[in-house]
Amino acid sequence: MLEVLQLIAQGLALGSCVLLILGLIRPVLVLWFLDRFNRLKVIQVYGIATLIFLGLSFVFRMIG
């Protein structure tokens, strides 16, 4: 069960990292749901999400 959660966390971390890189190139592509599109917002939203999912993946690896 922990392996599945770790795999999901890694997949979400990879996805948010891809969106982070894409958003640094064209912020409007990934921040379409906000009223302001800038690279700082991209880093705040997707950078924090990437760190959280990588941290969860690390925690699941340590537990299991």
Side-chain angles (χ1 to χ4, degrees):
M1 181 67 178
L2 286 175
E3 292 86 10
V4 173
L5 292 175
Q6 179 188 358
L7 187 61
I8 290 172
Q10 284 178 346
L12 289 173
L14 180 65
S16 61
C17 185
V18 167
L19 289 174
L20 174 67
I21 293 170
L22 183 63
L24 289 176
I25 297 169
R26 296 276 317 254
V28 71
L29 294 176
V30 295
L31 293 179
W32 54 268
F33 53 88
L34 295 177
D35 57 346
R36 305 210 43 159
F37 318 117
N38 58 19
R39 287 171 179 85
L40 181 62
K41 281 285 191 188
V42 170
I43 292 172
Q44 287 175 346
V45 172
Y46 292 103
I48 290 173
T50 302
L51 291 177
I52 287 172
F53 290 132
L54 284 176
L56 280 175
S57 174
F58 179 73
V59 167
F60 290 142
R61 185 179 304 152
M62 288 295 129
I63 292 174

